[in-house]
Amino acid sequence: MTKRSAIQSMENMADVRKQVDRIDAELIALIAERFDCMDAAARIKQDRDAVRDEGRKADVIENVKQLAVEARVPVPTMAAMWEMLVETSISYEFQQWDTIRRK
């Protein structure tokens, strides 16, 4: 049974809540993996000015918009969520960059 068919077969709110909790756990695990990438970026980038890359940020958000279209989820909402995620990631990467180089 696929995840979508499992969701379509839900019959009560307990089933819905169980699936939402499962999805939230998967999302947190993926976000943790994304932040691991920020750790690597902070380690790899030698110049602090390279941490903020507006061109890359724009590319990421445009990619997410396309993915949202394909997934048939609200594009403006996904763009706003990723704006926050990317800005939070940049802030985190700055902190990690500074921490690594202060050692």
Side-chain angles (χ1 to χ4, degrees):
M1 180 181 289
T2 67
K3 288 179 183 177
R4 285 210 174 200
S5 63
I7 290 170
Q8 291 171 345
S9 68
M10 292 184 287
E11 296 180 7
N12 57 57
M13 285 308 298
D15 291 343
V16 172
R17 290 179 179 130
K18 182 177 179 182
Q19 288 303 314
V20 167
D21 291 346
R22 177 193 58 78
I23 292 164
D24 288 348
E26 288 180 25
L27 288 169
I28 291 297
L30 289 170
I31 290 169
E33 188 175 342
R34 192 181 200 285
F35 274 76
D36 289 344
C37 291
M38 298 305 97
D39 289 335
R43 178 178 42 82
I44 292 166
K45 292 177 184 174
Q46 294 303 307
D47 185 353
R48 192 175 194 275
D49 291 338
V51 172
R52 177 170 288 283
D53 182 342
E54 291 296 331
R56 173 63 181 151
K57 177 182 170 183
D59 289 345
V60 168
I61 293 174
E62 283 306 311
N63 185 51
V64 164
K65 287 178 181 179
Q66 183 58 45
L67 292 169
V69 167
E70 292 166 11
R72 296 179 19 221
V73 295
V75 174
T77 302
M78 295 302 102
M81 288 172 63
W82 254 260
E83 172 74 27
M84 182 183 292
L85 177 59
V86 171
E87 282 301 319
T88 301
S89 298
I90 291 167
S91 176
Y92 176 81
E93 188 180 333
F94 271 123
Q95 292 170 355
Q96 293 306 101
W97 196 96
D98 290 343
T99 298
I100 290 167
R101 277 139 189 98
R102 286 189 186 141
K103 290 181 180 178

